Amino acid sequence: MSNVMFYLLDETQEKLQQPAHFALACLLASRSYRQKQKCIVYCQDQIQAESFDELLWQLPNDAFVPHNLAGEGPVGGAPVEICWQTPTQFNRPILINLSDTVPAFHQKFRQVIDFVPALEALKAQARERYKQYRAVGNQLDTLPASSINETQNHG
């Protein structure tokens, strides 16, 4: 059983260049790295994975997060691994889900992070994922996305 945390985004966070949940996922991957916890960022497809990879490269130098696309980088992967296919190793405690579906392998992770975007079509997909996570017995929680910035500023 996994703990699944859904972050609720609002309209103000959706006005950025990239999807707001991508920006939030960058922040969460960065926080995971700083807490010495490896994570996997699971994307819908290779294009989305490469976009997310690019976003991590755009972080300021003092916020750099060692990361790689699955199959690249050091043996065992960097602290943050970005994939769009089922990972080959499950030696990481955190899964950040950017795909539209519940990853079949999500229960191999202690913590799953998912998002509820403000856009109505994406919100409907998030509701479906919530139901699917709950149906297989996961512990579910929700938090406003704004709480990340608050904890980031105080941490």
Side-chain angles (χ1 to χ4, degrees), residues 55-118:
L55 272 181
L56 284 175
W57 281 115
Q58 293 171 18
L59 291 173
N61 288 345
D62 63 343
F64 176 74
V65 176
H67 65 282
N68 63 265
L69 291 166
E72 297 178 358
V75 174
V80 175
E81 185 166 290
I82 306 162
C83 66
W84 60 95
Q85 296 169 321
T86 302
T88 54
Q89 298 178 24
F90 296 99
N91 57 349
R92 295 159 186 263
I94 300 169
L95 171 67
I96 298 175
N97 184 29
L98 289 177
S99 79
D100 300 339
T101 57
V102 172
F105 52 83
H106 78 276
Q107 289 187 298
K108 296 186 184 291
F109 296 85
R110 278 200 317 265
Q111 175 75 45
V112 177
I113 296 171
D114 210 317
F115 305 91
V116 181

